[in-house]
Amino acid sequence: MAQHTQAHLTRKVEKFRSEAYKEQKREQMEYYMGAKLLEVGVDPNSVIYRWAKEVKGNEEEWTISAYWGESKDKILQEEGQL
């Protein structure tokens, strides 16, 4: 069975929320992602994280993605960092 080498977490936030609220939400998402990575045996400090934001009406849909192993290498090659 192939091992996973990436994880994604998506949340919706209202566009009108304050920057302080949004920063708190981002920190919560990072913390939760790190905890989930530890749960599956991946060191959160050894992965690369990427954020994506998509506006949908009155909401912003945020996605934090974590990449390690082969996926990490592929992302870094695409970005010209490897």
Side-chain angles (χ1 to χ4, degrees):
M1 188 165 104
Q3 283 190 312
H4 295 284
T5 59
Q6 54 184 283
H8 310 278
L9 174 66
T10 301
R11 294 285 186 266
K12 291 182 181 179
V13 177
E14 297 86 4
K15 286 192 318 187
F16 64 84
R17 291 292 192 155
S18 70
E19 283 305 311
Y21 175 87
K22 290 179 179 181
E23 180 61 30
Q24 181 183 28
K25 188 61 73 173
R26 281 189 286 270
E27 289 174 6
Q28 288 173 350
M29 289 176 70
E30 288 174 356
Y31 180 86
Y32 185 75
M33 176 64 83
K36 283 297 178 185
L37 291 170
L38 285 172
E39 215 172 79
V40 296
V42 176
D43 178 5
N45 296 318
S46 70
V47 304
I48 58 171
Y49 298 96
R50 295 296 182 265
W51 283 91
K53 179 174 82 169
E54 186 177 343
V55 176
K56 294 184 175 183
N58 290 326
E59 295 181 324
E60 296 175 351
E61 185 174 272
W62 297 348
T63 302
I64 183 173
S65 300
Y67 302 94
W68 62 95
E70 292 175 11
S71 291
K72 177 181 176 180
D73 294 342
K74 182 179 177 188
I75 294 290
L76 291 175
Q77 283 178 343
E78 288 173 358
E79 293 176 352
Q81 297 179 30
L82 223 171

